[in-house]
Amino acid sequence: MRKSRKKILSDDNKRATRQKLLKVARRIFTRKGYAATSVSEICKAARVTHGALYHHFAGKMELFVAVVAAIFEELARKIQDAADSKLGWEQVEAASSAYLDACTEPAVQVILLREAPTILAHATFLDTDAAVNEPLVAGLMHRWIQMGIMLPLPLPESARILGGAFAEAGAILANVKESNSSRESVDYTIARLLNGFRA
């Protein structure tokens, strides 16, 4: 049965409201942090009622989890696109650079790398991360193994280990003051690590 025009418009409005809330919450969480951000402030900035927010999210925590998930998904797309834009081993290098570049962005640094690991329950953060990143890393590694440019490492175990190394690299970039020198050190270390995976 086809949806009525009124129903379609209603669904579109709901999606638009949800996206607006995610966008505004991301901006405010990045600027002020989770603890200093209130539901009222988000609603005011998004120009929606409290009822509209609670229609989509149970509260500030659920909204924060949704923002974290959205950033993970955005980051995964950047990495995938970077890999797809290159050939051979340059795919690996491009994917690596895309991740490390993203780790210098304020929203990724504040929300994903600093706040989410401490604010969210450990299992919630790991599940949110794993839902997006483990399939991405394992999928890329499987592709590179099939291409013959990466050693035939066991999956998904090696993907989880490599993902952990990149997560730690991101945490370093998010929490240091001398970002330029640290980025050079991280780039060098990650490059050496990946070269050990090269076929």
Side-chain angles (χ1 to χ4, degrees):
M1 185 176 179
R2 295 179 62 184
K3 290 184 178 180
S4 67
R5 178 176 173 80
K6 185 176 181 181
K7 174 63 175 175
I8 292 172
L9 290 174
S10 176
D11 290 344
D12 288 345
N13 288 337
K14 288 177 182 178
R15 282 192 292 270
T17 298
R18 188 177 191 279
Q19 289 305 310
K20 182 191 294 185
L21 284 166
L22 288 171
K23 182 179 180 179
V24 169
R26 173 175 173 161
R27 184 176 71 243
I28 299 175
F29 285 142
T30 300
R31 187 176 75 249
K32 300 182 65 173
Y34 178 83
T37 299
S38 69
V39 167
S40 294
E41 183 177 12
I42 293 170
C43 289
K44 182 178 180 181
R47 297 182 178 180
V48 302
T49 64
H50 282 65
L53 185 147
Y54 288 120
H55 174 79
H56 294 281
F57 307 101
K60 186 171 77 166
M61 178 59 75
E62 188 172 299
L63 175 56
F64 184 73
V65 171
V67 169
V68 169
I71 295 175
F72 269 132
E73 291 168 2
E74 179 183 298
L75 181 54
R77 286 194 297 273
K78 289 181 179 180
I79 295 168
Q80 185 71 61
D81 290 345
D84 291 344
S85 71
K86 301 293 182 179
L87 297 173
W89 187 254
E90 288 187 358
Q91 289 190 9
V92 182
E93 295 171 336
S96 172
S97 293
Y99 174 79
L100 296 176
D101 287 345
C103 289
T104 65
E105 297 173 4
V108 174
Q109 287 192 339
V110 175
I111 297 174
L112 213 60
L113 301 174
R114 293 180 196 159
E115 299 235 307
T118 57
I119 291 170
L120 300 183
H122 186 62
T124 300
F125 179 73
L126 290 181
D127 288 347
T128 305
D129 182 4
V132 177
N133 289 325
E134 283 190 21
L136 170 71
V137 177
L140 287 173
M141 290 181 70
H142 177 74
R143 175 209 288 185
W144 296 329
I145 291 169
Q146 293 297 308
M147 289 170 62
I149 62 174
M150 183 171 279
L151 294 173
L153 299 163
L155 296 173
E157 293 82 6
S158 56
R160 294 185 66 182
I161 292 169
L162 186 59
F166 272 94
E168 193 61 32
I172 290 171
L173 293 177
N175 291 287
V176 295
K177 295 180 181 179
E178 299 298 327
S179 59
N180 290 334
S181 61
S182 294
R183 175 62 192 268
E184 291 176 1
S185 297
V186 168
D187 281 344
Y188 176 77
T189 303
I190 289 293
R192 296 281 299 199
L193 174 65
L194 289 173
N195 278 332
F197 286 44
R198 192 168 185 171

